[in-house]
Amino acid sequence: MEVNTCKVHSVQVGNSYTCDTFEMKAALKAEQNCISCVRFEASDCANPKKAAPSMSCNHWAPKNASA
C-alpha cells in the first residue's frame, strides 16, 4: 500500500484512510443535467427518448470525466 502525507493535516494517508477533519460545503450544482452529461445523445444514454436540456438523471456523467 502506498502511503502519502497530507500537506494540510501533516498525517500519513493511504487508500483506506478517511479524514474526519474536513469541511464540506453542501450545494446544488445546476450544471448536472443532460446537456452537461457525456452520455447525452450517445448510444449509452440510459433514457434516450426522455433526455432533454435541464433534466437531471441518476446516470449522469460529467463531460470532462476521466478515468
Side-chain angles (χ1 to χ4, degrees):
M1 175 171 110
E2 185 179 335
V3 177
N4 297 306
T5 302
C6 171
K7 292 177 181 159
V8 175
H9 302 107
S10 298
V11 296
Q12 288 188 338
V13 295
N15 292 338
S16 60
Y17 179 79
T18 303
C19 180
D20 61 355
T21 58
F22 64 89
E23 290 182 23
M24 184 174 146
K25 295 181 180 178
L28 293 174
K29 297 194 177 208
E31 69 271 8
Q32 293 183 347
N33 63 61
C34 286
I35 294 295
S36 62
C37 183
V38 73
R39 296 182 182 108
F40 183 57
E41 295 183 339
S43 61
D44 61 345
C45 178
N47 301 292
K49 296 187 182 204
K50 296 179 181 178
S54 301
M55 179 177 249
S56 295
C57 175
N58 62 350
H59 295 277
W60 180 86
K63 283 187 177 180
N64 59 353
S66 60

